[in-house]
Amino acid sequence: MAAVQVSEAEKVYILHGIRDDLRVDGRGCEDYRHMEIETDVVSNTDGSAKVTLGHTAVLVGIKAEIGKPRPMVPDEGYLEFFVDCSANATPEFEGRGGEELGTELSNTLYKVFNNKHSVDLKSLCISTGEHCWVLYVDVLLLQCDGNLYDAISVAIKAALFNTKIPRVHISADDEGGKEIELSDDPYDCMRLNVENVPCIVTLCKVGHRHVVDATLQEKACSVASLIISVTHKGTVTCTRKVGGGSLDPESIFEMTEAGKRVGKALHAPLMKLLQQEESLGKKHQKVGFLG
Amino acid sequence: MLKSKTFVKKTRSGGVMKIVREHYLRDDIWCGSESCSECKQESTVLQRDACIESNLCPYAHYLIPDTNVVLHQIDVLEDPVIRNVIIVQTVLQEVRHRSAPVYKRLKDIIHEKEKHFYTFTNEHHNETFVEREPGESANDRNDRAIRVAAKWYSQHLKTSKSDPDGLKVVLLTNDQGNKEKAEESGLLVYKCEEYIKSLIANPELVDQLALSNDDKNEITSSKMLFPEHLPLSRIQAGIKSGSFLQGTFRASRDNYLEATVFVQGEGEDSTEGLQNLNRGVHQDVVAVQLLPRDQWVAPSSFVLQDEGAAKDDDAEEEEDRVLRISAAEAARKPTGKVVGIIKRSWRPFCGMLNVSHIKESTRHLFTPADRRVPRIRIETRQAATLAGQRIMVAIDGWPRHSRYPNGHFVRSLGSAGDKETEQEVLLLEHDVPHQAFSQAVLSFLPKMPWSITPEDMVKREDLRHLTVCSVDPPGCTDIDDALHCRELDNGNLEVGVHIADVSHFIRPGNALDKEAANRGTTVYLCGKLIRAVTMFFFDFIRMAFSCIWEMNHKAEILKTRFTKSVINSKASLTYAEAQMRIDDTTRTDDITKSLRGLNKLAKILKKQRIQNGALTLSSLEVRFHIDSETHDPIDLQTKELIVFVCAMLSFQHTTVHLVIRETNSMVEEFMLLANISVAQKIYDEFPDCAMLRKHPAPPPSNYDILLKAAKSKAVEIHTDSAKALADSLDVAKVDNFPYFNTLLRILATRCMMQAVYFCSGMDSDFHHYGLASPIYTHFTSPIRRYADIIVHRLLAVAIGADSTYPDLMDKHKQSALANNLNYRHKMSQYAQRASVAFHTQLFFKSRGILNEEGFVLFVRKNAIIVLIPRFGLEGTVFFDTKDKATPNLVFDEEGPTLKVEQHTFCIFDKVKVTISLDDSNIQHQKIRMSLIDPVIPGVSVPAPDVEPQAKKPKLDR
């Protein structure tokens, strides 16, 4: 991933600062950078959201398509993830440079989001064993400035909130053939319940302490970080360690607790913001990508 | 300003797709009104003094119709009275989506300058674009868009400073809800009926109003006569599952309670009884459900005509019962009932009005000329004027409780019996496109005077030095072929056929080409000619497509080549002139030599062809001598035509111009040869997409009647092959009966199949039975037939003289085109026959009653069909007329013979009949024949006095 070169002196400066709960940009250890969210930014998706976190920018688009349910869970739909590391984000992604990171990210996202505890997959079922909605979640990295997971998870949650799936009716004819009928009102849509959709909090171990929403410089000083997905109730649904270094059990516990706390606090304002945006309706002017 | 339109669509594979379209809004869309000073428009459409005298709107106003008004009342909108109408884009789009024919008519009106129809692109106008709101249906949104546009107009016209009185706009809608909403927002709005009725000067427009469904409660009693039609979705499901069958509804000509449904691949099903027919109209695509086997019936031989104005239901049940009883057990056919209509094929029908007995009534029944179409109930105030006229009526709908469909008056064609009117009727009824060519079509004609440019010469061979001449019937204007023949240095002969290069002028895909493709063929009526292609004038120097053979003196082809060329016709001769030159031994000029060479070769070719089994059949053609002033036929003459089958079935100029001479057959012979050579060439080059013509061999059962007839005179006819047939026809002779051979050939003609165009990639049987040629096409008459133009194009591509285009190489498109040409061809022949029949009637009308000798051509169960050689007329002598007691009839199918009392009729019997015109039914006038000789008591009639009645009408004038 995009790495920055940090000199020894800088490292010491950052480490000492974090030790005293004061980071280079003035934040505390559990503070996020400035975050901007806008939904419904791509008109030809069923749901989309753009999130900027510091200089990190991600765009998530969700397309709903009709597919066949997985044989093990015939009454559920499912999500598919694809992360595109655009070379816009950093020159390292050029060519196939971003592929590895993309796969890693999409695998993690799949683990976090594609389960019935996070998203109500049963509501995506159209007819048991035959048709279900498949949500293709496409993540596009526009700019990398650290803490991709958190930004992506927030964007996914916002995009799922924004997703409008056209309502379909199954009409069965006399001899059992099923026909999918589409409502001719484009406003007649199904919305997803995103209450339980978790957000990911990445905690970076820097020195003896850990920080939330690490910048690239801070990341360079860290050897390992922990990814925790937390629901609005504070339930941890998934944890994962990334990075080359090791973590001792005690700090894992500490970091989990901190992640729960931060994650729980993240949901409420996010939902409030999304509802507020929704209530503005169609009339309000979009900021878009040039704003 | 950019907006996006979003909608969700179902894909073919069953998926669901969200589609987003960008939609640009502009601020430079003008209102099109003459009185507006704000809009910076270059030209205006709507007039300043837009006055239609109306009770409701005494002020100048523009009309804005909504979609349903346009769809249903297009006949009214087409009326010249209705002017200054704003067609909102929303309406235009909806109309386009809902009905292609109405859309085309609407477009035509808009293009007409005098109508002052303006299209306002409200969907792209900054101020009138509306977005669909949650919970709003697409229709509601469109209605709102129309209202917003109307509102904008009314405000816009009010503010324009130049006009203090202010023009107003009037919204026309039939939708109650829409009307109320429009009134709320302060618009002037009327129902279409209200508005049209308010027009002071034009009360006749009311008749053209289509009846809308809201009016149904007034029409008849509430009793439901018909079962309900199923919704389309259930029909489709039923067809998929096989419980319903889809087919074309074909009403019976003779029995209005009977119809057959032609199901693709399954043959025919009959449906019977008013209930089961369930409002199907001839040619509709319907879904039928088969009845259980015990309810199947046989097609009855009863002739039931719907005579009564409005029979009560008891009488109908009676008729139904008659039908049931008549069904013989063995002859039962699958019988079903119509459960739904998949596609209506209602067109305006020609016919006449049955004026209601009640004087003040405005509802009348209309009887279409086509007996297969039910009567139509229409509303008109001009019944008195329309009685006795041929009129057109369109069907608007057929409610369940109504015995007849409801319709409205479209236009009057003129008084019945009038020549112009009748011609119009038969063109309309045979679906012959006969309107004048539109300006768009004419614009593609070559500019006169045209000359040959050097570019034209690049791919053309200069053959101007050859002694080319054309030989045509006298008075022929479509000179499109020419011939030459010369001796080469090696002693062989070079023969060339030069056909006008029409495809050089008609380029694929332009309006002229499309029009010609649609019309397909030129239609020849008595005294009138409806062209497929507008006229070109080819003078002596002209561009041609040449087919040139090198032949030896035995007429064997050594070399064939095709080229586009420029020729210089040295002479254009009539058949008679050409014959005279050939016969005149003193003449030794180039033209005559060339003609002699051609004549010699043609004779050999003809002999060869006949040896191969080409058929020579016969038919009688009628030719009218038309009075030059009144255009009434004053005399008619028949020519016995000995023509080749190809010519007869495809009606080339032989049948039209009726000359039998050597020279005629000389030209014909080389045309056939050219057609065959070209067919071979294009098929070799394009095995998948060559446009060819075939004439299938008739199935053996077709010959039954011919064989039986011949046997009755102890003559044997062989039908194993075309050659056998031709040979046995040649030797078939009976002493003292010189006309026998001709009669036999006439009968043989009736056994033949129709020759058809087809695309070589879609068929495997190419054989032309009549010409005994393995392959054939039409190349020689591109001015008359569109098929030849396609063949020209194919050949031009094959020899590298022209470029190709996608449709030419698409065998499905070619096949569709061939189907249209076949259809047009068939209809043009029907129209031609109908035209001859009509003129025959006119002739007999002026002649009064005639006594004539004739021959029995067919014998039927209750009648004989008699051919009068003198007039080429065929008529039926019925033995079971309504007003007389039926004589004792014994029909023997083997003979076939019919024994009437004591006398037995066989085919070829000589009889004497009287001919008169039966005009009791003005719509279906017919020639009536009755028997004079042999005398059968109670059947035959005494020979009437035929004295100079014929002269009388002339003296009166």
Side-chain angles (χ1 to χ4, degrees), chain A residues 7 28 30 36 39 52 62 92 105 116 119 126-127 139-140 143 155 157 171-172 174 181 219 228 240 245 256 291:
Chain A
S7 67
E30 292 182 6
E36 279 176 13
T39 59
T52 54
I62 296 177
E92 289 163 51
L105 283 168
K116 56 177 178 251
V119 182
I126 299 169
S127 68
V139 180
L140 179 64
Q143 207 168 350
K157 180 156 181 163
S171 63
D174 310 335
E181 276 176 17
K219 187 87 190 277
I228 309 169
R240 219 187 134 203
T256 314

mmCIF file of all heavy atoms in Angstrom, chain A residues 7 28 30 36 39 52 62 92 105 116 119 126-127 139-140 143 155 157 171-172 174 181 219 228 240 245 256 291:
data_model
loop_
_atom_site.group_PDB
_atom_site.id
_atom_site.type_symbol
_atom_site.label_atom_id
_atom_site.label_comp_id
_atom_site.label_asym_id
_atom_site.label_seq_id
_atom_site.Cartn_x
_atom_site.Cartn_y
_atom_site.Cartn_z
ATOM 1 N N SER A 7 11.565 9.584 8.417
ATOM 2 C CA SER A 7 12.918 9.505 9.000
ATOM 3 C C SER A 7 12.835 9.099 10.468
ATOM 4 O O SER A 7 11.756 9.175 11.071
ATOM 5 C CB SER A 7 13.614 10.854 8.865
ATOM 6 O OG SER A 7 12.958 11.795 9.690
ATOM 7 N N GLY A 28 -6.614 13.684 19.251
ATOM 8 C CA GLY A 28 -6.354 12.732 20.311
ATOM 9 C C GLY A 28 -6.255 11.353 19.701
ATOM 10 O O GLY A 28 -6.497 11.166 18.501
ATOM 11 N N GLU A 30 -8.120 8.739 19.932
ATOM 12 C CA GLU A 30 -9.344 8.081 19.475
ATOM 13 C C GLU A 30 -10.215 9.017 18.618
ATOM 14 O O GLU A 30 -11.416 8.832 18.516
ATOM 15 C CB GLU A 30 -10.132 7.545 20.685
ATOM 16 C CG GLU A 30 -9.389 6.403 21.358
ATOM 17 C CD GLU A 30 -10.151 5.795 22.528
ATOM 18 O OE1 GLU A 30 -11.305 6.183 22.744
ATOM 19 O OE2 GLU A 30 -9.555 4.951 23.204
ATOM 20 N N GLU A 36 -16.449 13.568 5.340
ATOM 21 C CA GLU A 36 -17.561 14.087 4.551
ATOM 22 C C GLU A 36 -18.265 12.925 3.850
ATOM 23 O O GLU A 36 -17.608 12.041 3.300
ATOM 24 C CB GLU A 36 -17.059 15.059 3.479
ATOM 25 C CG GLU A 36 -16.800 16.444 4.020
ATOM 26 C CD GLU A 36 -16.208 17.365 2.974
ATOM 27 O OE1 GLU A 36 -16.243 16.991 1.784
ATOM 28 O OE2 GLU A 36 -15.718 18.435 3.359
ATOM 29 N N THR A 39 -24.451 10.910 -0.354
ATOM 30 C CA THR A 39 -25.030 9.709 -0.972
ATOM 31 C C THR A 39 -25.673 10.084 -2.309
ATOM 32 O O THR A 39 -25.832 11.254 -2.631
ATOM 33 C CB THR A 39 -26.099 9.063 -0.073
ATOM 34 O OG1 THR A 39 -27.112 10.027 0.168
ATOM 35 C CG2 THR A 39 -25.501 8.577 1.211
ATOM 36 N N THR A 52 -15.134 11.063 2.125
ATOM 37 C CA THR A 52 -13.738 11.499 2.241
ATOM 38 C C THR A 52 -13.393 11.567 3.719
ATOM 39 O O THR A 52 -14.176 12.044 4.543
ATOM 40 C CB THR A 52 -13.514 12.888 1.621
ATOM 41 O OG1 THR A 52 -14.445 13.791 2.194
ATOM 42 C CG2 THR A 52 -13.686 12.869 0.119
ATOM 43 N N ILE A 62 -23.602 0.598 -5.555
ATOM 44 C CA ILE A 62 -24.250 -0.705 -5.389
ATOM 45 C C ILE A 62 -25.235 -0.925 -6.535
ATOM 46 O O ILE A 62 -26.077 -0.070 -6.819
ATOM 47 C CB ILE A 62 -24.979 -0.786 -4.028
ATOM 48 C CG1 ILE A 62 -23.946 -0.688 -2.904
ATOM 49 C CG2 ILE A 62 -25.779 -2.080 -3.924
ATOM 50 C CD1 ILE A 62 -24.517 -0.691 -1.526
ATOM 51 N N GLU A 92 1.259 3.844 -7.415
ATOM 52 C CA GLU A 92 1.629 2.432 -7.215
ATOM 53 C C GLU A 92 0.557 1.479 -7.746
ATOM 54 O O GLU A 92 0.835 0.323 -8.018
ATOM 55 C CB GLU A 92 1.811 2.142 -5.721
ATOM 56 C CG GLU A 92 3.039 2.781 -5.132
ATOM 57 C CD GLU A 92 2.956 2.810 -3.617
ATOM 58 O OE1 GLU A 92 2.682 1.745 -3.043
ATOM 59 O OE2 GLU A 92 3.109 3.904 -3.040
ATOM 60 N N LEU A 105 -8.823 -6.365 0.360
ATOM 61 C CA LEU A 105 -9.910 -5.543 0.880
ATOM 62 C C LEU A 105 -11.269 -6.214 0.640
ATOM 63 O O LEU A 105 -12.100 -6.295 1.549
ATOM 64 C CB LEU A 105 -9.906 -4.173 0.196
ATOM 65 C CG LEU A 105 -8.848 -3.180 0.674
ATOM 66 C CD1 LEU A 105 -8.755 -1.999 -0.280
ATOM 67 C CD2 LEU A 105 -9.164 -2.684 2.079
ATOM 68 N N LYS A 116 -26.025 -12.658 7.660
ATOM 69 C CA LYS A 116 -27.391 -12.233 7.931
ATOM 70 C C LYS A 116 -27.506 -11.370 9.179
ATOM 71 O O LYS A 116 -28.536 -10.752 9.400
ATOM 72 C CB LYS A 116 -28.327 -13.442 8.015
ATOM 73 C CG LYS A 116 -27.945 -14.503 9.014
ATOM 74 C CD LYS A 116 -29.004 -15.587 9.019
ATOM 75 C CE LYS A 116 -28.641 -16.697 9.973
ATOM 76 N NZ LYS A 116 -28.254 -17.940 9.321
ATOM 77 N N VAL A 119 -26.608 -7.618 7.379
ATOM 78 C CA VAL A 119 -27.621 -7.171 6.428
ATOM 79 C C VAL A 119 -28.735 -8.211 6.448
ATOM 80 O O VAL A 119 -28.460 -9.407 6.540
ATOM 81 C CB VAL A 119 -27.022 -7.062 5.001
ATOM 82 C CG1 VAL A 119 -28.059 -6.556 4.020
ATOM 83 C CG2 VAL A 119 -25.806 -6.176 5.002
ATOM 84 N N ILE A 126 -36.299 -13.184 -3.515
ATOM 85 C CA ILE A 126 -37.510 -12.912 -4.298
ATOM 86 C C ILE A 126 -38.397 -14.156 -4.300
ATOM 87 O O ILE A 126 -39.572 -14.097 -3.968
ATOM 88 C CB ILE A 126 -37.160 -12.498 -5.741
ATOM 89 C CG1 ILE A 126 -36.313 -11.226 -5.732
ATOM 90 C CG2 ILE A 126 -38.427 -12.267 -6.541
ATOM 91 C CD1 ILE A 126 -35.703 -10.890 -7.057
ATOM 92 N N SER A 127 -37.835 -15.278 -4.711
ATOM 93 C CA SER A 127 -38.576 -16.521 -4.567
ATOM 94 C C SER A 127 -37.572 -17.594 -4.164
ATOM 95 O O SER A 127 -36.502 -17.713 -4.763
ATOM 96 C CB SER A 127 -39.286 -16.883 -5.865
ATOM 97 O OG SER A 127 -38.342 -17.218 -6.851
ATOM 98 N N VAL A 139 -16.334 -0.847 -4.953
ATOM 99 C CA VAL A 139 -15.641 0.187 -4.205
ATOM 100 C C VAL A 139 -14.547 0.747 -5.092
ATOM 101 O O VAL A 139 -13.785 -0.016 -5.690
ATOM 102 C CB VAL A 139 -15.020 -0.393 -2.905
ATOM 103 C CG1 VAL A 139 -14.309 0.690 -2.123
ATOM 104 C CG2 VAL A 139 -16.097 -1.068 -2.065
ATOM 105 N N LEU A 140 -14.517 2.026 -5.191
ATOM 106 C CA LEU A 140 -13.473 2.658 -6.000
ATOM 107 C C LEU A 140 -12.653 3.565 -5.097
ATOM 108 O O LEU A 140 -13.195 4.449 -4.445
ATOM 109 C CB LEU A 140 -14.141 3.463 -7.123
ATOM 110 C CG LEU A 140 -13.215 4.221 -8.059
ATOM 111 C CD1 LEU A 140 -12.335 3.264 -8.838
ATOM 112 C CD2 LEU A 140 -14.028 5.080 -9.012
ATOM 113 N N GLN A 143 -8.542 8.188 -3.618
ATOM 114 C CA GLN A 143 -7.328 8.767 -3.050
ATOM 115 C C GLN A 143 -6.999 8.019 -1.771
ATOM 116 O O GLN A 143 -7.890 7.689 -1.000
ATOM 117 C CB GLN A 143 -7.571 10.251 -2.738
ATOM 118 C CG GLN A 143 -6.307 11.040 -2.791
ATOM 119 C CD GLN A 143 -6.560 12.522 -2.781
ATOM 120 O OE1 GLN A 143 -7.670 12.982 -2.922
ATOM 121 N NE2 GLN A 143 -5.500 13.282 -2.600
ATOM 122 N N ALA A 155 -18.631 4.237 3.893
ATOM 123 C CA ALA A 155 -19.230 4.463 2.570
ATOM 124 C C ALA A 155 -20.193 3.346 2.216
ATOM 125 O O ALA A 155 -21.260 3.588 1.641
ATOM 126 C CB ALA A 155 -18.130 4.575 1.523
ATOM 127 N N LYS A 157 -21.893 1.447 4.287
ATOM 128 C CA LYS A 157 -23.103 1.592 5.087
ATOM 129 C C LYS A 157 -24.003 2.684 4.508
ATOM 130 O O LYS A 157 -25.218 2.520 4.361
ATOM 131 C CB LYS A 157 -22.754 1.905 6.547
ATOM 132 C CG LYS A 157 -23.982 2.071 7.408
ATOM 133 C CD LYS A 157 -23.764 1.811 8.869
ATOM 134 C CE LYS A 157 -25.088 1.995 9.609
ATOM 135 N NZ LYS A 157 -25.082 1.394 10.931
ATOM 136 N N SER A 171 -45.440 -13.360 -10.408
ATOM 137 C CA SER A 171 -46.776 -13.815 -10.773
ATOM 138 C C SER A 171 -46.649 -15.245 -11.258
ATOM 139 O O SER A 171 -45.866 -15.541 -12.163
ATOM 140 C CB SER A 171 -47.357 -12.925 -11.859
ATOM 141 O OG SER A 171 -46.578 -13.023 -13.016
ATOM 142 N N ALA A 172 -47.367 -16.100 -10.642
ATOM 143 C CA ALA A 172 -47.306 -17.505 -11.041
ATOM 144 C C ALA A 172 -48.471 -17.758 -11.979
ATOM 145 O O ALA A 172 -49.587 -17.340 -11.725
ATOM 146 C CB ALA A 172 -47.415 -18.381 -9.810
ATOM 147 N N ASP A 174 -50.733 -20.621 -14.459
ATOM 148 C CA ASP A 174 -51.445 -21.857 -14.153
ATOM 149 C C ASP A 174 -50.521 -23.040 -13.884
ATOM 150 O O ASP A 174 -50.664 -23.762 -12.913
ATOM 151 C CB ASP A 174 -52.384 -22.226 -15.319
ATOM 152 C CG ASP A 174 -53.242 -21.053 -15.710
ATOM 153 O OD1 ASP A 174 -53.453 -20.195 -14.829
ATOM 154 O OD2 ASP A 174 -53.680 -20.981 -16.865
ATOM 155 N N GLU A 181 -42.513 -9.647 -12.447
ATOM 156 C CA GLU A 181 -43.153 -8.435 -12.956
ATOM 157 C C GLU A 181 -42.607 -7.225 -12.237
ATOM 158 O O GLU A 181 -42.390 -7.245 -11.033
ATOM 159 C CB GLU A 181 -44.670 -8.516 -12.780
ATOM 160 C CG GLU A 181 -45.322 -9.275 -13.908
ATOM 161 C CD GLU A 181 -46.797 -9.438 -13.683
ATOM 162 O OE1 GLU A 181 -47.359 -8.704 -12.849
ATOM 163 O OE2 GLU A 181 -47.383 -10.320 -14.339
ATOM 164 N N LYS A 219 1.012 5.329 10.276
ATOM 165 C CA LYS A 219 1.015 3.940 9.832
ATOM 166 C C LYS A 219 2.452 3.443 9.674
ATOM 167 O O LYS A 219 2.781 2.302 10.009
ATOM 168 C CB LYS A 219 0.268 3.854 8.484
ATOM 169 C CG LYS A 219 0.031 2.462 7.969
ATOM 170 C CD LYS A 219 -1.254 1.887 8.527
ATOM 171 C CE LYS A 219 -1.384 0.405 8.215
ATOM 172 N NZ LYS A 219 -1.901 0.122 6.894
ATOM 173 N N ILE A 228 -11.459 -4.068 13.517
ATOM 174 C CA ILE A 228 -12.610 -4.548 14.291
ATOM 175 C C ILE A 228 -13.869 -4.001 13.646
ATOM 176 O O ILE A 228 -13.970 -2.795 13.397
ATOM 177 C CB ILE A 228 -12.549 -4.038 15.750
ATOM 178 C CG1 ILE A 228 -11.193 -4.353 16.339
ATOM 179 C CG2 ILE A 228 -13.659 -4.655 16.572
ATOM 180 C CD1 ILE A 228 -10.951 -3.659 17.658
ATOM 181 N N ARG A 240 -9.612 -8.681 12.833
ATOM 182 C CA ARG A 240 -8.546 -9.212 11.993
ATOM 183 C C ARG A 240 -7.295 -8.420 12.274
ATOM 184 O O ARG A 240 -7.352 -7.210 12.479
ATOM 185 C CB ARG A 240 -8.947 -9.005 10.533
ATOM 186 C CG ARG A 240 -8.560 -10.155 9.677
ATOM 187 C CD ARG A 240 -8.820 -9.841 8.234
ATOM 188 N NE ARG A 240 -7.645 -10.236 7.495
ATOM 189 C CZ ARG A 240 -7.298 -9.762 6.327
ATOM 190 N NH1 ARG A 240 -8.052 -8.856 5.750
ATOM 191 N NH2 ARG A 240 -6.211 -10.183 5.738
ATOM 192 N N GLY A 245 4.026 -7.046 12.301
ATOM 193 C CA GLY A 245 4.422 -7.222 13.692
ATOM 194 C C GLY A 245 3.431 -8.061 14.478
ATOM 195 O O GLY A 245 2.435 -8.540 13.942
ATOM 196 N N THR A 256 -9.496 -3.868 21.396
ATOM 197 C CA THR A 256 -10.866 -4.261 21.116
ATOM 198 C C THR A 256 -11.836 -3.368 21.868
ATOM 199 O O THR A 256 -12.835 -2.887 21.309
ATOM 200 C CB THR A 256 -11.097 -5.726 21.502
ATOM 201 O OG1 THR A 256 -10.026 -6.504 21.001
ATOM 202 C CG2 THR A 256 -12.400 -6.250 20.918
ATOM 203 N N GLY A 291 -17.065 19.494 -6.143
ATOM 204 C CA GLY A 291 -17.419 20.451 -5.102
ATOM 205 C C GLY A 291 -16.318 20.700 -4.090
ATOM 206 O O GLY A 291 -15.354 19.983 -3.980
#
